[in-house]
């Protein structure tokens, strides 16, 4: 479950950055980071005043939300009625943060989320949004949630808040130690959970009074919920002076500014232990006391309850560098939804082992040898080694141009940051350097700079107090915050990182830089803060993220890693970096020198184009033979991958203008990818060996009859490219259906130099259903179009090299020279189309076996298996190898392929206990579902998901192979129940691989049979065809028929007996009168 927000607001300080934060919110909506149903209103709201306080910011944000909701409701004035059913989330950015120019909300965490729909760095804002949306606020009534972003918050997945009968306002607390509470706020609550008081930095006795039985205290964590009634009353105060000054309307009306705290000026008035006099007099000045009086009148009647969340934790983001580094290098609590990692969204060029455990690298590109010690953090840096960063350091915002200054400079316990600064119309980069132990606001006389007393720093560098502070500034006011340490501009020279790094140097070196430093115009951190260009900083982080993302693309593809690039593609499209990613993919595809890698790169380009269509433009699957792409396809077919990729990219530019064209371009990229997959699979040709054999007499038939196959586990792992990128294993059984081998072919030589292609009905003696005669090579041209008449037979002639195509020599000349005539081929299958029993591949094997023999050649079973792989690639049906293994190799076996090219299939026969084959025969049944499957559509989706490396697809491929090995072991043991479990598991794996492969009627059929079977599965890809079942009792054909006959909504089903074929396919040369038209005399076997 997830909370569904009506409005989400992010408040920020004034200063011209509100549009950048609005863009960040919109980016999260596009990335899917705001829940399954993102709020219709996303608003970045600028505080009217610089020091408005969390209370004033809340009232202003509530007014903005109500105003927008009122406008959407068609109102012409603000109406509090719109709050009745609204669910509003207000996030406060709060004050500036020393260690992140964009504030605590946008402080990046060392986290990657592999399951996220779009890839992006994870900020504290994202963590809090996930916590609020998916955990803390689930089940709450309509109202207003307010959350600070100045803390790291961890909440269990089920916080256990009881909302029954809730009224008023509720604060959220987390348990903490009494020691931690001394510097923070705690709630004093009664046994009913009603808040009596809020104590900030209380005495030991006051804190002890708040403790529970376990000794922990409920910490104020910056989260509060107002019911709709309470929110209406709070909103009503925005027109009453002096509270009107908290809103932008007050600013526009000329009201004097006022500063209010959410907890101590608004929430506290509802605490049961407060009196009106005590509350009002607690205000700082007259205007605050007046505001408190108004708030008391408006809100006092509402009960203030507390929910303290067991197992939750809260970590305030202080101005201590030590605390900040610790929070980014330690793992979060077990209740967290976050998983910290050493490198997050970063490319480490060489030797990742140089990053010690306990260090943290986020959104960085590190080239060369960069060593980072434990206890150090690096964020948003592009650096080039060799570099060595010691412990206790925080480096942020450093570009590659900073690397020379860092080389050979020992860093230890320092904070080194690069900042984007805007001085009116001038943009520049400024670097700041401080010590990990420095305190920003402690008076200089008792404080440190670069972890040493100021006096020692002055002595080491030659810097004087007068360089940093004006003479009229009182000594007690002088501190690091207002020390003009950091060079911004120089009259003659460009400034760089070295202009602050010299402050670390010993006195002998420092002297060379002191004059240059004094000549520069310098600013203090206090002066720099208002000049920070947050929009430029966010833009730079985004650019670096996609730069390292491009390196990731190369790394993943060239390293053949099972890592999905689809989330990165989505982000690139959302944020306008798709051209950079497309360019990188073009480069990888054209230079990889590997058909498999290039194919995956083209598939990734198709995904980017699909993302650019943003769900419009039609289905991803569709035709891919537009003539405009023919030149590019031709280059790929000829083996010129680099040239083909260039032509594809040039053609792509013409198809980028609207969604429909983008989708069609994506289809053509998938078509191009399939060309390369075919070339990769056709590497299996080297395992096809053909020997010479006696040429049968003219007119003598060579007849091959084959069993069907049942795939007991592992199917889909044999499908290219999965089979050669992941490795495959499939357990198959060759079976007779209703006592016969249902698939066959026969070939004979004839006197006429032509090819007669005849498709019979379901029997060798059946009437011809389709008959073709090919007399010219042109008649074979459509061999690669699977739905063209006779395409499989035409492809078989070409792949067996009985016919050379293309060729300058005419077909009739070829046939007469090599064979003294032509060929006649008959094929048949007793199985319905789309049966799932491997018909087409086994039929291809039967045709090739008979054709080889009729042409005076002989091929082993292993050669036939690989020859069928080759044929199906030429035919462009893109099949795997399990069907021909199942139908051409007798009995029970497991086929395997390794994750490598060339693709080679190895088959191991599975020995079973004595008598177990008959046991299987007694317990296996086939049920024809009456549904025809469309495996082609399923195959396109499976290959697309595999190339996208969706985590579910990768995990399922692992599971398919391991289940196949387990099934093989169960067969060796003769363990029917365990085999049944493997079948059931296999069916779940098929459904994961190809969602939608279980029609409703099939689901009903399987439900009806479940009590009577050890396991069951649809044969092949699923979607229809045959269901095979392993019954608990033997010989259950009639019993199952009766069960299904009583089941509603099944349609035309039929039940068939099957038995293991231990003999395998047969090849016979039979005599025949050459003048006889079609039928062999089957009793004259040779």
């Amino acid at each position: 479950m997830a909370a569904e927000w009506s409005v989400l607001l992010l408040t920020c300080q004034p200063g011209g950055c509100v549009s950048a934060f609005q863009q960040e919110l919109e980016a999260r909506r596009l990335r899917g980071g705001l829940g399954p149903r993102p709020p219709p209103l996303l608003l970045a709201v600028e505080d009217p005043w610089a020091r408005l306080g969390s209370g004033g910011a809340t009232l202003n944000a509530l007014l903005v939300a109500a105003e927008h909701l009122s406008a959407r409701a068609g109102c012409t004035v603000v109406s509090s009625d719109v709050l009745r059913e609204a669910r509003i989330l207000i996030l406060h950015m709060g004050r500036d943060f020393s260690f992140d120019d964009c504030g605590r909300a946008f402080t990046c965490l060392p986290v990657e989320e592999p399951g996220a729909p779009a890839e992006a760095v994870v900020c504290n804002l994202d963590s809090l949004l996930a916590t609020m949306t998916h955990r803390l606020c689930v089940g709450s009534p309509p109202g207003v949630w307010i959350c600070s972003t100045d803390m790291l918050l961890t909440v269990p997945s089920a916080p256990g808040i009881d909302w029954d009968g809730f009224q008023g306002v509720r604060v959220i607390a987390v348990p903490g130690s009494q020691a931690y509470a001394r510097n923070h706020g705690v709630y004093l609550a009664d046994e009913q959970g009603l808040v009596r008081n809020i104590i900030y930095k209380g005495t030991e006795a006051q804190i002890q009074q708040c403790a529970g039985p376990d000794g922990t205290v409920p910490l104020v964590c910056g989260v509060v919920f107002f019911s709709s009634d309470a929110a209406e009353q709070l909103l009503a105060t925005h027109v009453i002076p002096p509270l009107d000054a908290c809103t932008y309307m007050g600013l526009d009306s000329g009201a004097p500014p006022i500063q209010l705290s959410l907890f101590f000026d608004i929430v506290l008035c509802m605490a049961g232990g407060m009196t009106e006099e005590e509350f009002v007099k607690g205000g700082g000045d007259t205007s605050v006391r007046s505001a408190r009086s108004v708030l008391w009148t408006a809100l006092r009647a509402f009960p203030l309850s507390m929910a303290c969340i067991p197992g939750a934790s809260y970590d305030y983001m202080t101005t201590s560098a030590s605390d900040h580094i610790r929070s980014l290098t330690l793992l979060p609590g077990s209740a967290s939804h976050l998983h910290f990692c050493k490198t997050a969204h970063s490319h480490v060029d060489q030797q990742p082992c140089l990053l010690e455990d306990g260090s943290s690298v986020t959104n960085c590109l590190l080239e060369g040898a960069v060593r980072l010690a434990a206890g150090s953090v690096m964020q948003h840096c592009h650096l080039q080694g060799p570099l060595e960063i010691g412990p206790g350091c925080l480096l942020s915002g450093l570009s590659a141009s900073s690397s020379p200054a860092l080389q050979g400079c020992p860093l230890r316990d320092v904070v080194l940051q690069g900042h984007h600064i805007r001085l009116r119309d001038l943009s520049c980069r400024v670097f700041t350097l401080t010590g990990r132990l420095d305190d920003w606001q402690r008076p200089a006389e008792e404080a440190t700079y670069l972890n040493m007393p100021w006096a020692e720093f002055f002595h080491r560098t030659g810097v004087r107090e007068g360089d940093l502070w004006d003479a009229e500034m009182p000594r007690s006011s002088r501190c690091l915050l207002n020390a003009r340490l950091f060079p911004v501009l120089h009259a003659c020279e460009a400034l760089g990182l070295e202009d602050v790094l010299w402050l670390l140097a010993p006195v002998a070196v420092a002297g060379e830089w002191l004059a240059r430093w004094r000549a520069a115009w310098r600013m203090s951190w206090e002066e720099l803060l208002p000049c920070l260009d947050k929009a430029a900083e966010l833009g730079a982080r985004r650019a670096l993220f996609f730069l390292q993302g491009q390196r990731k693309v190369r790394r993943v593809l060239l390293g053949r890693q099972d890592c999905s690039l689809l989330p990165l593609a989505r982000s690139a499209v959302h944020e306008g970096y798709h051209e950079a990613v497309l360019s990188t993919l073009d480069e990888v595809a054209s230079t990889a020198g590997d058909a498999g890698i290039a194919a995956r790169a083209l598939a990734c380009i198709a995904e980017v184009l699909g993302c650019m269509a943003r769900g419009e433009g039609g289905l991803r699957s569709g035709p891919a033979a537009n003539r405009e792409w023919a030149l590019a396809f031709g280059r790929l077919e000829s083996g010129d991958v680099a040239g083909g990729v260039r032509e594809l990219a040039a053609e792509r530019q013409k198809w980028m203008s609207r969604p429909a064209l983008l989708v069609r371009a994506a289809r053509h990229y998938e078509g191009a990818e399939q060309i390369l997959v075919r070339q990769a699979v056709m590497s299996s040709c080297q395992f096809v060996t053909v020997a010479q054999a006696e040429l049968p007499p003219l007119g003598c038939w060579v007849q091959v009859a084959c069993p069907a196959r049942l795939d007991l586990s592992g199917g889909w792992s044999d499908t290219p490219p999965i089979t050669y990128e992941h490795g495959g294993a499939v357990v198959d059984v060759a079976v007779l259906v209703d006592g016969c081998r249902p698939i066959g072919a026969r070939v004979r030589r004839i006197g006429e130099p032509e090819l007669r292609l005849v498709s019979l009905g379901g029997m060798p003696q059946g009437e011809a259903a389709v008959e073709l005669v090919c007399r010219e090579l042109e008649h074979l041209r459509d061999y690669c179009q699977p739905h063209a008449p006779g395409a499989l037979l035409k492809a078989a002639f070409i792949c067996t090299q009985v016919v050379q195509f293309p060729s300058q020599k005419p077909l009739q000349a070829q046939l007469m020279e090599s064979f003294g005539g032509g060929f006649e081929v008959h094929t048949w299958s007793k199985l319905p189309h789309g049966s799932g029993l491997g018909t087409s591949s086994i039929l291809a094997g039967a045709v090739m076996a008979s054709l080889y023999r009729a042409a005076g050649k002989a091929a082993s079973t292993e050669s036939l298996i690989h020859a069928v792989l080759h044929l199906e690639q030429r035919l462009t049906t893109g099949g795997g190898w399990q069907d021909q293994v199942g139908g051409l190799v007798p009995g029970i076996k497991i086929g395997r392929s390794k994750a490598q090219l060339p693709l080679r299939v190895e088959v191991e026969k599975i020995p079973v206990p004595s008598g177990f084959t008959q046991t299987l025969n007694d317990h296996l049944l086939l049920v024809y579902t009456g549904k025809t499957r469309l495996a082609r559509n399923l195959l396109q989706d499976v290959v697309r998901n595999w190339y996208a490396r969706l985590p579910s697809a990768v995990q399922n491929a692992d599971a398919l192979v391991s289940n196949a090995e387990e099934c093989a072991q169960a067969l060796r043991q003769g363990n029917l129940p365990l085999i049944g479990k493997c079948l059931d598991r296999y069916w779940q794996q098929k459904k994961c691989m190809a969602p939608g492969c279980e029609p409703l009627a099939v689901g009903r059929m399987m439900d009806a049979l479940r009590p009577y079977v050890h396991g069951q599965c649809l044969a092949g890809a699923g979607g229809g065809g045959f269901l095979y079942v392993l019954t608990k009792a033997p010989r259950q054909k009639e019993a199952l028929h009766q069960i299904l006959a009583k089941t509603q909504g099944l349609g035309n089903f039929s039940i068939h007996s099957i038995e293991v074929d231990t003999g395998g396919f047969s090849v016979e040369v039979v005599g025949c009168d050459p003048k006889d038209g079609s039928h062999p005399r089957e009793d004259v076997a040779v």
Side-chain angles (χ1 to χ4, degrees):
M1 291 180 64
E4 294 184 10
W5 305 113
S6 309
V7 192
L8 191 154
L9 302 100
L10 179 67
T11 72
C12 60
Q13 295 186 58
C17 55
V18 67
S19 59
F21 294 140
Q22 181 70 42
Q23 183 180 348
E24 289 294 315
L25 291 179
E26 295 294 343
R28 281 156 178 78
R29 186 211 300 270
L30 291 171
R31 292 200 298 256
L34 302 180
R37 295 185 182 177
L41 284 171
L42 287 178
L43 302 169
V45 180
E46 195 171 60
D47 293 343
W49 315 102
R51 302 183 70 82
L52 187 63
S54 57
T58 297
L59 186 56
N60 183 62
L62 183 58
L63 172 60
V64 172
E67 189 173 8
H68 279 77
L69 288 172
S70 298
R72 290 176 75 92
C75 304
T76 56
V77 295
V78 176
S79 170
S80 61
D81 292 342
V82 297
L83 299 181
R84 292 275 83 198
E85 297 301 322
R87 299 172 187 272
I88 298 171
L89 174 60
I90 300 171
L91 295 153
H92 291 313
M93 284 193 61
R95 290 165 288 188
D96 293 311
F97 188 42
S98 311
F99 309 116
D100 196 292
D101 290 0
C102 299
R104 293 172 171 88
F106 290 96
T107 296
C108 291
L109 305 178
V111 171
E112 289 191 355
E113 298 178 307
E119 187 171 329
V121 290
V122 178
C123 302
N124 188 36
L125 174 68
D126 302 300
S127 172
L128 290 170
L129 275 170
T131 296
M132 300 297 287
T133 302
H134 298 285
R135 298 191 173 199
L136 201 52
C137 308
V138 174
S140 64
V144 179
W145 282 92
I146 302 139
C147 178
S148 169
T149 62
D150 61 4
M151 77 293 193
L152 300 173
L153 183 63
T154 295
V155 173
S157 57
I161 303 174
D162 182 8
W163 294 103
D164 288 344
F166 169 77
Q167 291 180 318
V169 176
R170 175 165 286 169
V171 292
I172 303 299
V174 300
S177 69
Q178 295 183 39
Y180 188 82
R182 291 189 192 117
N183 292 310
H184 298 278
V186 292
Y187 294 113
L188 175 63
D190 61 22
E191 294 179 355
Q192 287 72 43
L194 294 174
V195 176
R196 303 288 300 163
N197 200 355
I198 306 174
I199 299 167
Y200 181 66
K201 292 188 177 181
T203 64
E204 190 171 334
Q206 287 175 315
I207 294 171
Q208 177 64 42
Q209 191 180 4
C210 302
D214 62 354
T216 63
V217 293
L219 297 173
V220 177
C221 71
V223 182
V224 60
F225 175 71
F226 282 72
S227 66
S228 296
D229 290 336
E232 281 189 56
Q233 287 299 312
L234 178 60
L235 176 63
T237 66
H238 86 274
V239 295
I240 305 174
L243 288 168
D244 60 340
C246 293
T247 70
Y248 82 92
M249 286 186 175
L251 173 67
D252 291 350
S253 303
I258 183 174
Q259 183 177 6
L260 290 179
S261 160
L262 172 61
F263 287 90
F264 294 103
D265 292 319
I266 297 179
V267 174
L268 186 60
C269 74
M270 294 171 278
M274 296 299 297
T275 65
E276 181 176 7
E277 182 180 7
E278 183 182 8
F279 174 68
V280 173
K281 285 186 176 179
D285 56 30
T286 304
S287 61
V288 174
R289 288 195 292 273
S290 177
R292 284 190 167 203
S293 180
V294 173
L295 290 165
W296 179 275
T297 302
L299 300 175
R300 178 60 184 176
F302 291 105
L304 179 62
S305 58
M306 177 189 74
C308 189
I309 313 298
S313 66
Y314 156 87
D315 192 2
Y316 179 72
M317 299 170 75
T318 70
T319 57
S320 160
S322 296
D323 288 349
H324 187 60
I325 292 170
R326 176 190 54 79
S327 70
L328 296 177
T329 52
L330 293 179
L331 296 178
S334 59
S336 176
H337 58 281
L338 301 173
H339 302 283
F340 278 20
C341 48
K342 185 162 64 175
T343 57
H345 302 293
S346 296
H347 175 81
V348 181
D349 201 26
Q350 296 178 4
Q351 302 165 302
C353 59
L354 295 179
L355 308 180
E356 295 183 7
D357 290 341
S359 64
S360 170
V361 176
T362 304
N363 194 35
C364 289
L365 202 167
L366 305 183
E367 301 172 301
V370 178
R371 183 181 295 276
L372 187 65
S376 284
V377 173
M378 195 179 289
Q379 295 195 328
H380 317 300
C381 291
H382 179 185
L383 296 175
Q384 297 166 335
L387 297 176
E388 187 155 347
I389 312 301
C393 293
L394 170 64
L395 273 65
S396 177
L398 305 181
S399 63
S401 60
S402 302
S403 301
L406 284 170
Q407 290 169 3
C409 179
L411 295 183
R412 185 186 184 95
D413 293 324
V414 296
V415 177
L416 182 57
Q417 297 172 278
H419 311 274
H420 291 268
I421 299 296
R422 177 169 286 277
L423 304 168
R424 294 189 180 178
D425 295 329
L426 176 66
S427 295
C428 59
R429 294 275 283 153
V430 173
F431 298 94
T432 58
L433 175 68
T434 57
R436 178 176 64 84
L437 303 177
D438 297 346
D439 186 308
W440 286 101
Q441 294 180 296
R442 180 175 293 181
E445 291 181 340
E446 53 189 75
T448 62
Y449 177 56
L450 297 177
N451 309 309
M452 67 185 84
W454 279 99
E456 183 180 340
F457 168 74
F458 293 144
H459 175 73
R460 281 174 57 101
T461 60
V463 173
R464 298 188 294 264
E465 283 193 61
D467 295 325
L468 305 180
W469 297 289
D470 294 336
E472 58 270 20
M473 178 179 285
R475 298 189 67 81
S476 60
S477 299
R478 298 178 182 182
C479 61
L480 176 56
L481 183 65
N482 53 36
R484 293 194 182 98
L485 277 162
F486 311 117
V488 177
L489 295 172
H490 194 283
C492 306
E493 301 182 59
L495 298 175
L497 185 60
E498 58 273 17
D499 289 285
V500 293
L501 284 178
W502 76 271
L503 297 170
L504 291 167
V507 64
V509 178
E512 303 171 16
W513 288 92
L514 180 59
R516 174 182 165 106
W517 178 83
R518 282 196 172 126
W521 179 47
R522 304 181 310 281
M523 296 174 71
S524 68
W525 181 239
E526 187 174 53
E527 293 167 329
L528 284 170
L529 276 173
C531 304
L532 294 176
D533 191 339
K534 296 177 173 62
E537 176 62 29
L538 289 168
R541 293 179 184 183
R542 194 178 303 118
L544 180 57
F545 171 79
F546 286 108
L547 185 61
Q548 68 81 29
Q550 290 171 259
R551 301 296 180 90
K552 176 181 178 177
V553 167
R554 294 190 188 95
R555 181 177 74 244
V556 167
L557 294 180
L558 296 174
R560 296 181 173 86
Q561 297 176 11
D562 286 338
C563 173
S564 179
L565 295 175
L566 181 55
L568 180 63
R570 290 194 184 111
S571 286
V573 170
H574 296 330
E575 306 207 30
Y577 281 83
H578 50 274
E579 287 293 351
V581 172
L582 287 171
S583 176
T584 301
L585 291 167
D586 287 336
E587 177 196 340
V588 172
S590 60
T591 60
D594 181 286
I597 292 173
R600 185 178 174 191
L602 296 183
C604 290
I605 292 175
E607 290 290 5
V608 174
L609 297 174
C611 291
M612 290 173 67
R614 300 182 187 272
E616 301 176 9
L619 296 173
R620 280 289 305 276
S621 298
N626 189 290
R627 293 178 183 176
E628 301 296 323
W629 299 82
L631 177 60
F633 281 20
R635 287 189 181 277
L636 294 176
E637 293 278 13
S638 69
D640 180 9
V641 176
V645 171
R646 282 195 301 272
E647 293 292 344
L648 287 169
E651 185 60 32
R652 180 177 74 215
Q653 294 303 317
K654 308 171 189 175
W655 297 66
M656 306 277 275
S657 59
R658 62 181 193 272
L661 292 179
L662 285 163
V663 168
R664 290 166 64 192
R667 292 171 183 168
H668 283 81
Y669 264 93
E670 288 186 342
E673 149 227 308
Q674 284 302 313
I675 293 172
L676 297 183
V677 170
R678 289 198 293 273
Q679 292 176 350
V681 174
M682 286 194 285
S683 63
S684 63
C685 284
Q686 61 188 271
F687 305 115
V688 178
T689 55
V690 179
Q692 291 299 313
E694 183 182 352
L695 190 69
L698 197 71
C700 281
W701 290 96
V702 177
Q703 180 164 302
V704 173
C706 294
R709 72 97 186 89
L710 286 185
D711 54 315
L712 299 189
S713 56
W716 284 123
S717 73
D718 67 303
T719 304
I722 301 171
T723 189
Y724 62 76
E725 291 185 350
H726 175 274
V730 184
V731 174
D732 275 320
V733 182
V735 293
L736 306 178
V737 179
D738 292 331
C740 71
R741 292 175 180 149
I743 303 163
R746 59 174 172 245
V747 181
R748 68 174 178 177
R749 287 193 298 121
I750 57 177
E752 297 83 353
E754 62 188 25
L755 305 179
R756 297 180 193 164
L757 313 179
V758 181
S759 175
L760 304 175
M763 297 292 289
Q765 292 79 27
E767 294 296 321
V770 179
E771 187 166 354
L772 293 174
V773 179
C774 300
R775 297 187 177 92
E776 301 174 8
L777 285 177
E778 185 64 28
H779 295 160
L780 301 180
R781 188 166 298 280
D782 59 357
Y783 78 93
C784 56
Q785 299 174 22
H787 301 296
L792 185 148
L793 302 182
K794 295 173 185 177
F797 275 101
I798 294 168
C799 291
T800 56
Q801 297 185 341
V802 171
V803 173
Q804 301 297 320
F805 181 91
S807 173
Q808 297 296 317
K809 187 176 290 187
L811 175 61
Q812 293 187 350
Q814 290 188 41
L815 293 173
M816 290 304 295
E817 285 182 18
S818 299
F819 304 104
F823 290 88
E824 184 174 350
V825 182
H826 293 184
T827 61
W828 63 88
S829 171
K830 294 181 65 176
L831 302 173
H833 177 69
S835 67
L837 298 181
T839 306
S840 59
S841 298
I842 296 171
L843 183 61
V847 170
M848 296 184 87
S850 56
L851 190 53
Y852 273 132
R853 186 68 188 86
K857 302 176 182 180
S860 66
T861 301
E862 181 188 9
S863 293
L864 284 173
I865 289 169
H866 293 92
V868 173
L869 259 178
H870 176 217
L871 180 145
E872 291 190 327
Q873 296 308 311
R874 297 290 293 268
L875 190 61
T876 70
T877 52
W881 46 256
Q882 62 144 317
D883 295 346
Q884 57 265 36
V885 168
L888 299 179
V889 180
I892 307 167
K893 60 272 175 181
I894 181 169
R896 299 184 181 91
S897 62
K898 295 178 181 177
Q900 64 184 39
L901 289 173
L903 171 59
R904 182 169 194 171
V905 184
E906 298 176 310
V907 182
E908 174 194 343
K909 292 189 177 181
I910 299 173
V912 297
S914 176
F916 184 68
T917 300
Q918 184 57 47
T919 302
L920 269 184
N921 295 342
D922 292 339
H923 288 263
L924 274 174
L925 284 172
L926 268 186
V927 182
Y928 184 58
T929 64
K931 301 289 180 184
T932 302
R933 67 173 179 83
L934 299 171
R936 179 69 175 170
N937 295 344
L938 294 177
L939 178 62
Q940 286 179 320
D941 291 340
V942 169
V943 171
R944 187 178 299 131
N945 291 343
W946 172 254
Y947 268 136
R949 287 304 194 276
L950 298 183
S952 59
V954 175
Q955 292 162 11
N956 203 41
D958 293 339
L960 283 164
V961 172
S962 62
N963 189 53
E965 298 292 351
E966 187 173 336
C967 184
Q969 186 59 30
L971 285 161
R972 293 185 190 100
Q973 297 168 1
N975 188 331
L976 283 180
L978 185 54
I979 296 168
K981 285 184 180 178
C982 291
L983 298 188
D984 283 341
R985 192 182 303 131
Y986 181 32
W987 180 233
Q988 297 306 315
Q989 291 164 354
K990 284 187 181 182
K991 290 196 290 184
C992 177
M993 210 64 161
C997 67
E998 181 180 285
L1000 288 174
V1002 173
R1004 283 193 289 266
M1005 186 178 287
M1006 296 178 86
D1007 289 341
L1009 296 177
R1010 190 161 287 113
Y1012 309 97
V1013 301
H1014 288 302
Q1016 56 188 326
C1017 185
L1018 275 180
F1026 280 97
L1027 171 72
Y1028 59 90
V1029 299
L1030 186 67
T1031 61
K1032 293 178 178 177
R1035 297 175 291 281
Q1036 292 293 294
K1037 183 176 180 180
E1038 291 303 322
L1040 294 195
H1041 193 282
Q1042 292 176 18
I1043 292 165
L1044 294 180
K1046 297 175 184 175
T1047 304
Q1048 297 293 318
L1050 296 189
N1052 296 321
F1053 70 90
S1054 56
I1055 301 183
H1056 305 264
S1057 63
I1058 48 175
E1059 54 188 285
V1060 179
D1061 183 357
T1062 56
F1065 75 98
S1066 62
V1067 181
E1068 294 178 306
V1069 180
V1070 294
C1072 180
D1073 182 350
K1075 297 177 183 178
D1076 185 15
S1078 59
H1079 304 307
R1081 286 167 39 217
E1082 307 216 13
D1083 56 336
V1084 192
V1086 180

